């Protein structure tokens, strides 16, 4: 420390001491703690203030005076009756479906049009030790859908309109050091940002971060790699921030250590001048790595940069950045190159939701989904149409999947450019990210001069933050004007939208790729289109006159070297956009896989031409009872040279496979065995068989994992039924009921776009207010065991004009609560808030006793309750004011009614359902049991470590 002690004031000294001790406890200087668990949640209301806990109605509310968050934004608010949950959370997926719901959001009864399911309040307490005084304490939100406001101990921190951008608030000044602190978040999902399902709530992670005031700025590292012959130069720029009034200057030492995939380390050191107060300084370092292990699709080698900041020899911050060494290049003639090698982009577009859990995906599901795409032969992923959760990019980095990272809305103000900046600064060290997309199908501007201007600004701005990656925009019209005339890499959305070859002939210097192609419809396991049932046959046929099949699309892109590749619309089905239908279809039909990740047949077309393994896949299934003698379309997807088809051992002919094609036969149906045999170089190499099955006999459970991590492990179970020979029944629709020990089911699905079954089975919690509170003053302190009768005409409005200087010895209060319905399974609890010092409480004349765990919690038994209006009486001694301005609580509390959930269940659709299970932290093995009518039950045990 260069300051002379004489200049340090006493509080500063205290602060310095505490800072040092905090750092001593955390030698890295930085602590990042996930705070996903233990949030209290309740619905507010978008326009009925009473139902929004009277938030924002205080005389001096939170915009008038700092610290004045009111209603649930106040630290002292009583949220005991609220639901307790863990993040990530999507309240939309928990709701039922209705035709009145939004087409875009899959007809869920939440958000737009549902004011009582459009505002969600979240509250959580955190304790922060006294030793943290002097550190920068911040809350980090990875993404909240949407329009969130956050308070800390009643202090308003800010508003984040985006449902996709991460944000962070410094709360250091508001902390109750050495005590409890309250985070309150109000989420307003009444607007939609996209035209696809977006969920509702805090659906990504939340962290508390603690750092020294001198630290690496959030997303403050930028690593670029330059591959030379036999070595690579790694440049690391680090932004060091001084978030304090410390103006003492001095040197800051930055130690940069690169850890290679084998754990070998190599370090370098820079000395820079300490940044000025509330300023940043940049440190640039360069490290040479000999014979680097490159990041690519097959071997996604990852390196780590550990940045240590030292001041006066002490480590004040340690910051880790994962990166990869790789080069990318677009060539207008030859397409895309990764590490100098040509790579055709075999991509899919995807939104972020999954069956059962909506947008609140546990991290494991990101890996599950990316692995499924890789198994299909895909090597690229477009985040349509918004920045993803960080864990998706981590999964792509680790598994080897290229990513187009896309911002939500085109424009040139702080709103739009700020989002571009946040996306690029957060994501630019991910080796998977190879391209920034600054827009998609912006119909109002894409073909005109405005689009050209906006793109010029966004593109230039993006490149000012990251010059190493190109910029694209997905364009659906005007392939020759507007955005397309200036964008660096042309993003063609659909062959049907314009003449790609003509565009290319005019703009020969502009590389291009198909940012969207396909848009085909298929229902998994269904082979006859039936508009009445909203079924789309799963054969890859031209979907609409101006759209192309997957095969047509791929033939076009595969045979044009100047096109870098194509991104199919979409990899997975998603909620919303159930084109070509509407209600009661609730998910899209576009996916190569359904919302669970069960493959449709197109997956095998792509595997044949995108993958490297021999493939042979026959469709449809061979259960066509009642269709005997009628012609069935039989297709084979394969990359064999020839395929021969047999029905019950009789050859139906051998056919040559055309490159990027498929084979078709018309086969008169007879039950039995349909078999395809694939030949390569004249040799029989593969067979695929479809057998007519018997009736369902037994449930079969399998899991994508056999062992789970105790803390937050997730397993995806497949559920199916088999016949007496153990054959999977592709047409089964049995309803299967589930029970679990040692873990929690977090969602069920089956991939049926028309299923209106529950995605989740969770207890319903209703909060019932006490209304019409009246009082009578009592002349003696008598807290009776039986409710006395009080004069009928002496009731007056409670607490109105109370003279606190002349309080009565006791008061009796009377209020009502209405139980609209009441069943034997309801659990009803009165959460009392003190309206007096000592009190006795009666419900419908019967005295109630407080619960063991909480003196202010009263379980109301069924025998004292009735459907309709119930009467609450409280006899209590009054609370005296100490100061005139003391506010005395006049709210006696709230009645919570829990309706326990039904048992988890789901029907099979085309033979399959999915159950997603999470470990509950107990460390006990997970045992999932499944039962269904008329078939044998099944149980599967997973070990938890
Ligand atoms: C595209 C759009 C996608 C999706 C798709 C459906 O025009 O970019 O987000 O809506 O159409 O066909």
């Amino acid at each position: 420390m260069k300051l002379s002690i004489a200049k340090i004031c006493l509080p500063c000294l205290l602060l310095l001491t505490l800072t040092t001790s905090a750092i001593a406890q955390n030698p890295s200087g930085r602590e990042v703690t996930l705070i996903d668990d233990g949030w209290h949640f309740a619905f507010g209301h978008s326009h009925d203030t009473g139902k929004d806990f009277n938030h924002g109605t205080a005389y001096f509310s939170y915009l008038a005076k700092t610290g004045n968050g009111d209603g649930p934004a106040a630290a002292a608010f009583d949220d005991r009756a609220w639901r307790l949950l863990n993040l990530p959370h999507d309240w939309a997926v928990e709701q039922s479906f209705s035709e009145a719901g939004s087409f875009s959001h899959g007809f869920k009864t939440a958000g737009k049009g549902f004011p009582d399911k459009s505002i969600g309040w979240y509250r959580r307490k955190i304790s922060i030790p006294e030793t943290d005084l002097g550190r920068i304490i911040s809350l980090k939100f990875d993404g909240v859908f949407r329009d969130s406001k956050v308070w800390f101990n009643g202090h308003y921190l800010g508003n984040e309109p985006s449902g996709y951008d991460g944000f962070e608030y410094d709360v250091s000044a508001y902390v109750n050091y050495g005590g409890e602190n309250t985070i309150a978040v109000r989420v307003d999902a009444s607007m939609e940002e996209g035209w696809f399902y977006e969920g509702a709530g805090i659906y990504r992670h939340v962290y508390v971060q603690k750092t020294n005031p001198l630290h690496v700025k959030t997303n403050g590292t930028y690593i670029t790699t330059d591959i030379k012959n036999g070595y690579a130069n790694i440049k690391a720029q680090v932004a060091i921030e001084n978030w304090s009034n410390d103006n003492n200057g001095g040197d800051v030492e930055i130690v940069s250590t690169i850890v290679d995939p084998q754990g070998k380390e190599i370090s370098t050191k820079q000395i820079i001048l300490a940044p000025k107060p509330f300023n940043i300084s940049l440190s640039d370092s360069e490290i040479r790595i000999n014979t680097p292990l490159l990041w690519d699709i097959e071997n996604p080698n990852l390196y780590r940069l550990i940045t240590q900041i030292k001041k006066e020899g002490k480590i004040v911050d340690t910051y880790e950045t994962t990166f990869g060494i790789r080069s990318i290049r677009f060539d207008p003639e030859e397409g895309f190159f990764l590490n100098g090698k040509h790579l055709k982009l075999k991509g899919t577009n995807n939104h972020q939701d999954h069956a059962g859990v909506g947008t609140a995906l546990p991290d494991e599901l990101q890996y599950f989904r990316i692995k499924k795409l890789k198994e299909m032969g895909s090597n690229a992923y477009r985040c349509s149409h918004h920045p993803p959760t960080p864990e998706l990019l981590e999964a792509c980095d680790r598994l080897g999947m290229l990513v187009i990272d896309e911002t939500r809305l085109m424009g040139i103000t702080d709103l739009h450019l700020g989002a571009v900046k946040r996306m690029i600064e957060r994501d630019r060290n991910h080796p998977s990210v190879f391209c920034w997309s600054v827009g998609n199908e912006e119909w109002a501007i894409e073909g005109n001069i405005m689009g050209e201007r906006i793109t010029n600004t966004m593109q230039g701005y993006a490149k000012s933050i990251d010059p190493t990656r190109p910029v694209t925009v997905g364009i659906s019209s005007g392939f020759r004007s507007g955005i397309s005339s200036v964008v660096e890499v042309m993003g063609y959305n659909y062959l049907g939208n314009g003449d790609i070859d003509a565009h290319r002939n005019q703009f020969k210097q502009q590389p291009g790729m198909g940012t969207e192609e396909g848009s085909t419809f298929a229902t998994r396991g269904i082979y006859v289109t039936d508009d009445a049932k909203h079924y789309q046959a799963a054969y890859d046929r031209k979907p609409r006159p101006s759209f192309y099949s997957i095969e047509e699309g791929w033939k076009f892109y595969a045979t044009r070297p100047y096109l870098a590749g194509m991104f199919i619309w979409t990899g997975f089905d998603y909620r919303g956009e159930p084109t070509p239908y509407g209600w009661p279809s609730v998910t899209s039909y576009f996916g190569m896989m359904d919302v669970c990740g069960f493959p449709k047949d197109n997956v095998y077309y792509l595997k044949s031409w995108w993958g490297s393994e021999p493939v042979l896949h026959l469709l449809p299934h061979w259960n066509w009872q009642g269709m005997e003698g009628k012609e069935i379309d039989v297709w084979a997807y394969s990359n064999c040279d020839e395929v021969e088809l047999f029905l019950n051992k009789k050859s139906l002919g051998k056919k040559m496979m055309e490159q990027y094609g498929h084979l078709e036969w018309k086969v008169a149906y007879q039950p039995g065995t349909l078999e395809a045999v694939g030949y390569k170089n004249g040799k029989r190499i593969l067979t695929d068989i479809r057998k007519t099955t018997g009736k369902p006999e037994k449930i079969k459970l399998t899991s994508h994992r056999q062992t789970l991590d105790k803390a937050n492990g997730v397993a995806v179970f497949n559920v199916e039924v088999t016949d007496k020979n153990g054959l999977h029944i592709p047409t089964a629709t049995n309803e299967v009921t589930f029970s679990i020990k040692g873990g929690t089911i977090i969602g069920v699905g089956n991939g049926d776009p028309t299923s209106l079954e529950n995605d989740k089975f969770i207890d319903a919690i209703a909060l019932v207010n006490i209304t019409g509170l009246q009082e009578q003053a009592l002349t003696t302190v008598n807290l009776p065991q039986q409710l006395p009768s009080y004069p009928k005409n002496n009731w007056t409005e409670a607490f109105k004009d109370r003279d606190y200087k002349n309080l009565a010895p006791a008061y009796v209060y009377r209020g009502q609560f209405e139980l609209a319905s009441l069943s034997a399974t309801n659990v009803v609890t009165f959460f009392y808030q003190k309206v007096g010092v000592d009190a006795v409480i009666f419900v419908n004349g019967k005295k109630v006793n407080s619960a063991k765990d909480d003196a202010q919690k009263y379980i109301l038994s069924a025998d004292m309750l009735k459907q309709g209006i119930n009467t609450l009486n409280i006899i209590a001694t009054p609370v005296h004011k100490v100061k005139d301005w003391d506010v005395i609580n006049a709210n006696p509390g709230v009645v919570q009614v829990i309706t326990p959930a039904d048992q988890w269940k789901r029907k099979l659709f085309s033979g399959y359902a999915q159950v997603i299970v999470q470990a509950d932290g107990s460390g006990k093995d997970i045992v999932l049991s499944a039962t269904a009518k008329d078939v044998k039950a099944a149980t599967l045990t997973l070990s938890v470590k």
Side-chain angles (χ1 to χ4, degrees), residues 313-618:
K314 285 203 192 90
I315 300 169
V316 294
D317 194 16
T318 306
Y319 189 91
E320 196 172 307
T321 315
T322 303
F323 69 98
I325 304 175
R326 54 113 182 95
S327 71
I328 49 168
R329 180 167 67 88
F330 274 93
D331 184 282
E333 295 294 332
E334 294 173 74
F336 179 73
F337 291 80
L338 178 64
N339 299 329
K341 281 191 235 140
H342 180 258
L343 184 81
K344 197 82 177 179
L345 298 170
K346 299 161 179 168
T348 62
N349 283 270
N350 291 288
H351 293 314
Q352 55 182 352
D353 60 304
H354 189 89
V357 296
T359 52
L361 272 69
D363 300 349
E364 172 74 18
L365 270 186
Q366 308 290 356
Y367 288 82
F368 175 85
R369 287 163 65 90
I370 298 299
K371 279 183 194 158
K372 293 260 173 219
L373 293 169
K374 282 202 66 137
E375 281 164 21
M376 186 173 84
S378 175
N379 58 22
Y381 184 107
R382 177 172 178 235
C383 302
S384 29
H385 304 291
H386 55 77
T389 190
E391 289 71 31
L392 176 105
L393 296 181
E394 272 169 37
C396 291
D397 283 352
R398 287 178 201 289
L399 299 172
M401 174 71 77
L402 289 161
V403 175
I404 301 179
D405 204 349
E406 186 162 292
T407 184
R408 181 63 292 284
L409 197 63
M410 286 194 92
I412 59 159
T413 70
D414 274 0
L415 173 79
H416 317 98
L417 297 183
V420 168
K421 184 167 196 263
R422 276 197 268 176
M423 171 178 83
I424 298 182
E425 286 188 346
R426 189 195 68 170
D427 297 343
R428 63 189 173 177
N429 295 316
H430 287 280
S432 55
V433 176
F434 75 104
C435 188
W436 305 116
S437 168
V438 297
N440 175 69
E441 295 199 4
E442 290 289 4
W443 301 321
I445 58 161
E446 59 184 6
N448 61 34
I449 184 67
M450 230 180 264
E452 187 177 320
R453 290 185 203 135
I454 293 172
T455 306
N456 269 330
T457 302
M458 293 186 88
Q459 181 163 279
Y461 185 73
K463 296 201 81 86
S464 77
I465 310 168
D466 175 33
T468 73
R469 292 173 177 88
V471 172
T472 191
V473 176
I475 301 164
S476 62
S477 64
F479 280 0
R480 290 196 202 189
S481 55
I483 296 176
S484 67
S485 56
V486 292
V487 73
E488 196 178 352
V489 175
M490 178 65 189
Y492 300 102
N493 275 15
Y494 305 109
L495 290 173
N497 281 334
D499 187 336
I500 295 176
D501 288 329
H503 174 266
R504 133 93 186 165
N505 286 335
Q506 192 178 342
F507 296 88
K508 284 223 157 114
Q509 293 315 307
Q510 188 183 33
M513 58 185 164
T515 31
E516 285 180 31
E517 196 45 70
S519 218
T520 57
F521 311 128
T523 312
R524 177 181 58 77
I526 295 293
Y527 299 96
V528 181
T529 293
D530 182 337
D531 288 332
K533 288 186 173 159
H534 287 199
Y535 281 168
Q536 285 284 320
Y539 300 98
D540 178 32
R541 296 196 173 107
K542 196 173 178 63
R544 293 171 268 182
S546 57
F547 283 81
Y548 291 76
S549 67
I550 300 302
E551 181 173 322
E552 287 171 310
W554 183 239
K555 279 182 172 162
F556 185 89
Y557 279 93
T559 53
R560 283 166 177 73
Y562 69 87
L563 291 169
M566 83 174 195
F567 289 75
I568 289 170
W569 189 265
T570 50
F572 297 93
D573 282 343
Y574 51 94
R575 292 167 191 282
E577 254 196 347
T579 319
Y581 303 115
W583 175 259
S585 286
V586 296
T587 74
S588 77
Y589 290 73
F590 299 123
M592 302 297 96
M593 287 172 261
D594 68 19
V595 282
C596 302
F598 290 123
K600 303 181 192 174
D601 298 281
N602 272 338
V603 162
Y604 299 93
Y605 169 79
L606 292 168
K607 245 183 156 163
S608 304
W609 303 115
W610 281 8
S612 48
E613 303 290 314
V615 174
L616 177 56
H617 173 81
L618 261 185

